[in-house]
Amino acid sequence: MSQSDRTQGFRESMNWLHTWAGVVLGALLFAIFWMGTLSVFDREIDRWMMPDTRLALPAAPASFDAVAGRAKEIVPAGADWWFLLSPDAREPLFRLGYLDAEGAFLTRQLDPASGAALPDQGTLAGTGFIFPFHYSLHLSWNQLGYWLVGLAGMAMLVLLVSGVIIHRKIFADFFTFRPDKKLPRSSLDLHNLTGVLGLPFHFVITLSGLIIFFTIYFPTVIDTVYDDDRETFFAESFGGYQRTAAGRPAGHGASLDAMAAQASALWDGGAPSFLRVWHPGDAAAYVEIRRSFARQVTMNLDTVYFDAADGAVLHSHTAKPVMTLQRFLSGLHFIQFEHWVLRWLYFLLGLSGCVMIATGYLFWLESRRKRHAAQGLAGVRLVEGLTVGAVTGILIATLAFFVANRLLPLGATFAGYERAGLEIWAFYLVWLATFAQAWLRPGRAWREQCWAVAALALLAVTLNAATTGDHLLRTLATPHLWPVAGMDLLLLAGAAVAALTARRLGQRARPALPQTAGAAARPAE
């Protein structure tokens, strides 16, 4: 066999791998990429979904000492800990987190000027639903969601590498897009274009996502090096510090603001952003303060622990080189640092990943449609229904989540579910309905679901203006409401794109695949 034959054979094997890895895991990959793209602006989504938190950041937010007094009124007696996240430009309020008497984790938002508790919004919003969906799919049983996301991440790396191998003219393809051609050709052009354009980003974001959860995906490395002593590993890597409660009531404690100032001095001016009080009210209470990473890419692990009684430093931690590298990659993935140009670039490149996955599916479907129809195979219909539900379906479900948020009043309950639970049910039920519609109405599903995306996006913008009074004219003229304006403008842009797509699909509508008696009995390709 000649060298050229071997090369051609290798490319064909990579083409097979690229095709079927994409077909099998494309739906899961699209959901992960879609939610990850939205998570770039998760806190801005919070502002849109929680109108009472649309506050201006005061020049001098309330001190930790002042807010701690309010926190003690909210946190139940006997709680093992509570924490405060300080306000910043993206989240202009204090966030209080604590455990209730049953051990459930709860959060409350506090006014940045006074520390007073804001009304309970009763929603998980962007940071509570969209962001966790991106990395865990909200499947908590035996960490199933993390493992599925990890599997999808490995598949994405395989798809990226095999895609480079099978496209011999990859850079020439980057400059080739023929929207006037037939759907298979135009979808492949767009697939290649978005794949090449975002290749470095997609590779780094996928690899860093796997590295972030190395303790889950690569546990044997830790167990081998530390002889199954994970407590020592976490103490050395993440700098944990603990001491048991004394069981005696505490006297007058030291100033939290003084501790924060001392921590800042130890960090050469680095600002604290997270403060947690352990064993509050106990004589052995201590305070954990973490450094902000708003001004650096690395999500640093700099932490100082203080004695709550006298403010003495008990322990401090700075990450070692290996963990610093891991936290740098984490920072690249999560983009929690303040840089609006890069944030928008991440968002656009995330959307390009969604387009790349969707157009890959479209090319597979359209290139096999006639052959499957002639042979009476059900493979294309099965994958098409899966694709429609996975692509336009999750867009519709997300918009239904936003619409439900604006329609449900504060304190809403139904069948034992509170407002946050009802919003989540709206998401999943609507998403399930899109799959059913796609399989029941082949040939029409794409167009109809694009119209649904446009209608729901317009409805979400309208409901936001009607229920809060924050219409675009007001939000654009008020700087601290720009996140809300940005959300509305993106919804309107999405509605326009969806409507134009629906019209174009209507112009090139095709008849549904014919039903065949043996279709259901034959295996899918």
Side-chain angles (χ1 to χ4, degrees), residues 202-401:
H202 297 149
F203 190 88
V204 170
I205 211 71
T206 304
L207 180 62
S208 60
L210 293 170
I211 292 174
I212 287 168
F213 295 108
F214 72 97
T215 57
I216 296 175
Y217 301 142
F218 311 108
T220 54
V221 176
I222 302 170
D223 296 337
T224 300
V225 175
Y226 284 87
D227 294 327
D228 296 328
D229 185 3
R230 292 205 160 201
E231 186 173 336
T232 301
F233 162 75
F234 282 106
E236 291 184 0
S237 300
F238 297 94
Y241 171 83
Q242 294 179 342
R243 74 177 182 185
T244 58
R248 304 188 309 274
H252 181 71
S255 168
L256 297 177
D257 289 329
M259 297 179 201
Q262 187 174 355
S264 180
L266 291 173
W267 298 325
D268 296 324
S273 64
F274 176 93
L275 183 150
R276 173 156 43 190
V277 178
W278 292 88
H279 312 317
D282 188 87
Y286 60 101
V287 179
E288 170 190 358
I289 299 181
R290 300 182 194 170
R291 184 178 181 177
S292 169
F293 33 79
R295 299 294 180 183
Q296 56 183 331
V297 175
T298 304
M299 299 177 70
N300 66 76
L301 294 171
D302 296 347
T303 310
V304 183
Y305 294 85
F306 297 89
D307 189 293
D310 58 14
V313 175
L314 299 174
H315 178 72
S316 64
H317 175 77
T318 300
K320 301 298 187 293
V322 172
M323 280 305 298
T324 298
L325 175 60
Q326 191 269 350
R327 299 306 292 174
F328 174 78
L329 293 172
S330 299
L332 280 179
H333 190 96
F334 288 122
I335 191 171
Q336 293 301 294
F337 52 91
E338 296 178 2
H339 198 299
W340 284 104
V341 174
L342 278 179
R343 190 169 297 281
W344 277 104
L345 184 61
Y346 268 56
F347 181 77
L348 294 174
L349 288 171
L351 287 180
S352 77
C354 295
V355 173
M356 177 182 66
I357 297 166
T359 50
Y361 255 135
L362 279 174
F363 175 72
W364 188 92
L365 288 167
E366 296 303 322
S367 63
R368 287 161 173 77
R369 184 177 299 281
K370 289 183 179 180
R371 175 156 52 92
H372 277 229
Q375 297 175 355
L377 297 175
V380 165
R381 290 194 60 183
L382 176 65
V383 176
E384 182 172 27
L386 181 66
T387 305
V388 174
V391 177
T392 53
I394 198 171
L395 305 187
I396 293 171
T398 304
L399 292 168
F401 180 66

